[in-house]
Each structure stands twice: as structure tokens, then as C-alpha cells.
Amino acid sequence: MLRIISLNLNGIRSATTKGFLDWLPAQDADLVCVQELKAQAGDMSEAMRAPAGYEGWFHHAEKKGYSGVGIYSRHTPDRVVEGLGIADIDAEGRYLQLDFGPLSVVSLYLPSGSSSEERQQIKFGFMERFAPHLADLRASGREVVICGDWNIAHREIDLKNWKSNQKNSGFLPEERAWLSGLFDGQGWVDVYRQLYPDASGDSYTWWSNRGQAWAKNVGWRIDYHLATPGIGHSAKTASVYKEQRFSDHAPLTVDYDWSLT
């Protein structure tokens, strides 16, 4: 089995103080994709860079205390791809890819548009330019798993208050249609939803810090594993870990019937 975890840390230093690095070794994961590091290379301790049993690779944002992605791996990759080769996107540290033989694993942090209309337009611009890259990956003949915070809830079942959020970033018709295009048009597999087509509350991975969203499970499913069909259909189980909180997101773990060796 190949176990891959995705988690938006909302700051690796903050998550570490909340026990993330203590929790990690017991998960028996082969790869851990993290997002929103909010740290530069010099801000990270040795334990953050290489937790026990893992090597870490990172794509930091240029702006301090902002964005950034990483992947912890028990296996040394054949190739590391940092960024998309698009200057303004790469300045925000949003894409990191590790290749292992015929398999690529990606940590992705798609922009949020909730803070302003300007950021929403930046999000749309990212989506427009990222879709051709996804199409190229899909056509490459490689097996691919893209883990991350996509900042979009795809269907009504994917968030608690869908009716009141139809005009809000993360559940806009254009965003949802874009994801549908990846699933129905390009043929990507939404791994969690394939395994649990009817899950609602159990599927949520993010909760607002406002009100009592966590306590009342008023959440959103915005963290995904998207995969090519070969490895995607090999997934056996998936789970969202909610016993401890390291972030406003929860870890999403998927076990694949797959081997890197």
C-alpha cells in the first residue's frame, strides 16, 4: 500500500506548536503533501525540513509568511519540479512535484479569492493557466496524484451551507464548472468522492474560525486528491483526521494499492 496525506498547515510553525510533527511519525505515510507553509527556508527548523524518517522538499513563496508548499517523502525522488514556470504563480510558491519512476506526486495550493475581488481574479487567472498543465500531465502517460487545498467545494454535498454560499468564493458556479471540466473533460478522478459518493459531514476538511464552525461541523470539502485513473481507481480507503487540530484544515489520508518500488 502507498499512503499519501494532504494537509494545509496554515503555517508550519503554528502547526508544529500544535503537535503536527509529533503526530506525523505514527501515521506511517509514504508521502505527506503540505500547503500554506507561511515560512521561508531560513524560518524552518531541521525537524520541519526533515522530520524523523522523511526527506523534505519545498517551494517557498517570495513573500514572507505567505503560501508555500512542500512534500515529505520516505523515498528519494528521481526528479523534483518546483513551480509551473509561470513567474507570478511561482512567486507565490504553489506547486511542487516529485517523480518516482512512472508516478508523479504533486502538492498544490490553489489561490483563495475570498479576501477581495482582486484576489478572486488572480484565482481565476491561475485556474485558466493551470488547466492546460493538468491536461498535459493527464496526457503524459504518467500516473499522477495531485494533493492539496484547491479552495473550491465542487458540489452541494461538499459544504454545509451551500445555499448561502453560491455567490461566495470557493463555491462560485465558474469554480465548480472548472472542477467538473477536470473530472468529466480531462478524466481526473476525485479519489475521496469515488470511494464515498454520498459522504457529507465526514468529508469536510476545512472550517472557518468564525462562530462555532468546528464545533457544529459547518465545514467545506476543499482539500482533494485528484488522480489519474490507474492509481486513482486503486485507492482502497480515505479518511479525514479530526481527533487533533493542527490547522483550520484537517489531514486527508488515502491508501492506494500501489508500490513505489
Side-chain angles (χ1 to χ4, degrees), residues 137-151:
L137 276 179
R138 182 72 182 85
S140 69
R142 301 184 60 77
E143 295 293 341
V144 184
V145 179
I146 305 174
C147 298
D149 177 0
W150 292 71
N151 267 311

Side-chain angles (χ1 to χ4, degrees), residues 2-9 20 23-24 27-35 105-108 145-152 158 183 189-196 199-207 214 220-227 235-244 246-256:
L2 176 68
R3 176 167 290 179
I4 305 178
I5 297 175
S6 184
L7 172 60
N8 178 313
L9 296 168
F20 166 63
W23 168 84
L24 187 58
Q27 304 316 302
D28 196 27
D30 295 277
L31 294 140
V32 182
C33 299
V34 293
Q35 302 87 39
V105 177
V106 174
S107 185
L108 171 74
V145 179
I146 305 174
C147 298
D149 177 0
W150 292 71
N151 267 311
I152 303 169
D158 292 324
F183 301 139
V189 176
D190 179 349
V191 176
Y192 183 94
R193 191 52 78 202
Q194 171 195 245
L195 290 167
Y196 309 108
S200 54
D202 289 344
S203 76
Y204 302 155
T205 61
W206 174 80
W207 299 261
W214 169 256
W220 296 54
R221 185 175 79 99
I222 57 175
D223 299 87
Y224 297 78
H225 287 215
L226 261 62
K236 298 301 181 186
T237 63
S239 61
V240 180
Y241 178 81
K242 300 179 184 177
E243 274 136 71
Q244 295 168 264
F246 314 116
S247 165
D248 52 352
H249 293 251
L252 172 61
T253 302
V254 179
D255 288 338
Y256 298 90

